[in-house]
Amino acid sequence: MFEIGKKGGPESGSRPDSGPVRMETSAPRPSAMGSREAAVIGPSIHIDGDVRGEEDLLIEGEVGGTVQLKNNSLTIGPNGKVRADVYAHSIYVDGYVEGDLFGAERVHIRKSAQVKGNVTSPRVSVEDGAKFKGAIEMDPQAAQSAGNRANAQ
């Protein structure tokens, strides 16, 4: 990936030694998953009710009720607070969630997250340091049937 001695490399003298380079290795953010940026619920926004959509979403504010993004990704940012059942294709949690998470593809709970609720998805990952209280069911059919029930409402 990097070749020492190339222009701009450590041996060329063009860059002072600033220590190791940190690479982002976590799951992709919604904005990286498509051709356009994700919709954002900003830190000063509070929503009580149902949130539905057909695009990726980043929540940095507070949401209560239900969140349905059946074909898209949801990221709950470090400042996000969600008190809702969540149905999405992929769910990435950095902030606070109180409610059940249903991911058709995956649910990723990062180390800064606090989750109180059950998780149903074929792929679930919980980073070391995350706070989690609930049950995990890794069953593709259960996640799909939960999403279908939510869509029928």
Side-chain angles (χ1 to χ4, degrees):
M1 187 158 105
F2 297 103
E3 292 183 30
I4 295 177
K6 285 205 169 201
K7 186 174 181 180
E11 289 185 353
S12 69
S14 65
R15 183 184 99 133
D17 186 17
S18 60
V21 176
R22 186 173 172 268
M23 301 297 288
E24 181 70 32
T25 58
S26 62
R29 305 280 184 190
S31 61
M33 300 179 98
S35 61
R36 62 177 272 195
E37 292 290 319
V40 177
I41 296 174
S44 67
I45 304 297
H46 300 265
I47 296 174
D48 290 318
D50 295 334
V51 176
R52 297 178 192 184
E54 294 296 326
E55 60 186 297
D56 295 342
L57 178 63
L58 168 62
I59 297 175
E60 286 290 353
E62 294 187 27
V63 174
T66 61
V67 178
Q68 295 183 40
L69 304 169
K70 64 180 180 175
N71 297 317
N72 299 90
S73 295
L74 171 69
T75 298
I76 299 160
N79 299 315
K81 291 184 177 129
V82 175
R83 288 177 179 85
D85 288 340
V86 176
Y87 304 88
H89 185 264
S90 300
I91 303 168
Y92 303 95
V93 183
D94 284 303
Y96 177 84
V97 176
E98 187 174 323
D100 294 338
L101 302 174
F102 299 93
E105 178 65 28
R106 75 175 60 243
V107 174
H108 185 91
I109 301 171
R110 296 191 175 114
K111 64 184 174 183
S112 61
Q114 295 182 30
V115 176
K116 294 179 183 178
N118 300 320
V119 175
T120 304
S121 181
R123 292 177 191 81
V124 177
S125 57
V126 180
E127 289 183 2
D128 189 24
K131 294 178 182 174
F132 174 75
K133 183 175 184 178
I136 295 174
E137 183 175 355
M138 296 175 70
D139 181 4
Q141 284 77 27
Q144 185 175 3
S145 65
N148 291 340
R149 282 195 308 271
N151 291 333
Q153 294 178 355

